[in-house]
Amino acid sequence: MFYMKVAIFSAKAYDRQSLEAANSNHKHELIFFETQLNARTALLAKDIPVVCPFVNDEASAEVLNMLASNGTHLLALRCAGFNNVALQAAAELGITVVRVPAYSPYAVAEHTVALVLMLNRKLYRAYNRVRDDNFALEGLLGFDLHGCTVGVIGTGKIGMVFAQIMHGFGCNLLGYDPYPNPQFETIGAARYVELPALLANADVISLHSPLTPENHYLINAETIAQMKPGVMLINTSRGGLLDTKAVIAGLKASQIGYLGIDVYEQEAALFAEDLSNTIIQDDDFQLLKSFPNVVITAHQAFFTQNALQAIAETTLTNITDFEQGRVLTNQVKALERVGIH
Ligand code: NAI
């Protein structure tokens, strides 16, 4: 039988559409909640065996405890990252955790390249100027990517696609990854180095590693000081990889010349909602937005039709596999460290 009740949190219209379309093959009962999952909302999933959270939902030990005592057995993440899940608590409470390890590395890698080009050619300024009949070029001076050195931190699925695209531009590639991927050095002009060498030599640095306790604030005052003055820093992975206050100091000192981010460490309180009629209380975020050399997108790198379809299909297959007692190829275990390709 293909039937499980599934509580879907942080559900937007596009989630409903993609999950309902994919569900025609699975026939689960999908119950959509617009609210985020947290300690105040976990009770909504009472007597629902499967809970389906997204990136900014909270699956802390407290939340998992509430879910487990109300009959939830499966946490089916509809994303790749699982830094928001207390995995040890899930194991102790008998909650199985599955995720969507890969849906479209192209979606995220291509968005990363879009941020690079946006900053490099100042397209955000050019777009507004032309709309305003201002055709002056002062302030729009860019630089060729051809011949630049691009540092890729994390050379898994997304980092690899990003590296291949940047190779197409004629960039030299430096990679850093504690679990090197043999495919990386097969890309022309790509080689692995230790992190300090990458920081010291890259003109563009892009982060593509998961957020783990070990690499929280990987980009901090000390590592920023090791970068080339005027470096372009891009983060489409997880906000917690960057110490925001150190990045702001780096921007003010012009040590960081360009910043492109799709993720922000306090994004859970901001992203995915229309807050245009409210006063944003996050001073660091407001300050970041004010710099002329910063481009921010609100965690949309994954957001392509192809990726949504693949996320929905894999999420529902994970749930069906669980219900059928099949081997769960996308299970996340408490001791897992993402580094296996
Ligand atoms: P992946 O698991 O294929 O690759 C991650 C790579 O990072 C692995 O090679 C791993 O060894 C490496 N790594 C682990 N710790 C590291 C460290 N301290 N320093 C450098 N490298 C390290 O994962 P994938 O699919 O490439 O995704 C990467 C990240 O992108 C995800 O963990 C997620 O946080 C983020 N992401 C962001 C999205 C968005 O919409 N902005 C969407 C999807 C993923």
Side-chain angles (χ1 to χ4, degrees):
M1 181 170 109
F2 294 85
Y3 171 82
M4 292 209 91
K5 263 190 172 184
V6 185
I8 296 152
F9 282 86
S10 297
K12 302 286 180 196
Y14 46 80
D15 294 308
R16 184 184 282 265
Q17 201 199 2
S18 58
L19 284 161
E20 278 176 347
N23 197 34
S24 58
N25 299 328
H26 294 270
K27 316 266 187 270
H28 297 300
E29 184 183 342
L30 307 181
I31 303 157
F32 294 92
F33 297 111
E34 283 181 25
T35 178
Q36 280 183 0
L37 173 65
N38 55 42
R40 290 184 303 283
T41 61
L43 266 180
L44 289 169
K46 189 167 169 21
D47 299 329
I48 302 183
V50 185
V51 165
C52 178
F54 194 49
V55 282
N56 287 319
D57 286 314
E58 192 190 317
S60 60
E62 183 191 7
V63 170
L64 292 173
N65 218 330
M66 292 172 75
L67 293 178
S69 53
N70 284 298
T72 295
H73 309 296
L74 179 68
L75 200 69
L77 303 170
R78 56 180 196 283
C79 54
F82 49 86
N83 50 288
N84 52 341
V85 182
L87 290 175
Q88 191 58 42
E92 285 161 16
L93 292 162
I95 295 184
T96 303
V97 181
V98 288
R99 65 174 179 137
V100 184
Y103 38 90
S104 170
Y106 310 103
V108 184
E110 288 172 13
H111 188 82
T112 308
V113 177
L115 289 176
V116 171
L117 289 170
M118 182 95 155
L119 284 162
N120 168 41
R121 305 308 299 265
K122 302 188 172 62
L123 296 179
Y124 52 104
R125 304 186 84 178
Y127 173 79
N128 284 324
R129 277 192 193 184
V130 171
R131 286 173 69 89
D132 206 21
D133 294 338
N134 174 355
F135 308 115
L137 295 183
E138 282 83 3
L140 300 183
L141 191 65
F143 62 89
D144 290 3
L145 285 172
H146 183 93
C148 278
T149 298
V150 175
V152 186
I153 298 183
T155 52
K157 291 176 284 294
I158 296 169
M160 274 298 290
V161 176
F162 173 72
Q164 278 157 341
I165 299 173
M166 297 317 285
H167 173 59
F169 279 110
C171 299
N172 304 308
L173 295 163
L174 298 178
Y176 168 70
D177 196 314
Y179 307 91
N181 174 357
Q183 294 302 310
F184 180 71
E185 290 193 334
T186 65
I187 304 172
R191 63 190 171 89
Y192 277 115
V193 290
E194 289 303 320
L195 187 58
L198 184 150
L199 298 174
N201 291 297
D203 304 295
V204 176
I205 297 176
S206 192
L207 295 162
H208 298 289
S209 71
L211 175 62
T212 63
E214 294 78 30
N215 66 15
H216 182 249
Y217 284 180
L218 180 74
I219 303 300
N220 54 43
E222 202 180 312
T223 47
I224 290 170
Q226 295 172 49
M227 296 175 188
K228 271 192 177 178
V231 66
M232 181 187 292
L233 181 62
I234 308 285
N235 185 13
T236 57
S237 279
R238 284 293 180 267
L241 292 169
L242 256 59
D243 175 346
T244 305
K245 288 195 190 302
V247 167
I248 289 172
L251 284 160
K252 282 184 166 173
S254 299
Q255 172 69 0
I256 298 174
Y258 310 80
L259 177 73
I261 54 174
D262 185 53
V263 286
Y264 171 62
E265 57 174 323
Q266 304 301 338
E267 70 178 51
L270 298 171
F271 288 2
E273 302 302 330
D274 178 359
L275 302 181
S276 55
N277 278 324
T278 63
I279 305 294
I280 304 285
Q281 301 295 326
D282 184 329
D283 294 345
D284 286 342
F285 187 77
Q286 295 300 75
L287 184 54
L288 269 183
K289 268 194 336 185
S290 73
F291 291 108
N293 50 353
V294 173
V295 170
I296 305 175
T297 52
H299 209 136
Q300 72 169 84
F302 75 98
F303 197 53
T304 65
Q305 289 170 4
N306 321 58
L308 281 190
Q309 254 175 28
I311 288 171
E313 186 49 47
T314 305
T315 300
L316 295 175
T317 301
N318 286 341
I319 296 169
T320 302
D321 286 350
F322 178 80
E323 188 259 345
Q324 300 272 299
R326 293 194 199 120
V327 176
L328 295 173
T329 45
N330 296 327
Q331 186 170 359
V332 189
K333 302 232 174 90
L335 290 176
E336 182 168 348
R337 280 285 173 271
V338 179
I340 298 139
H341 300 285

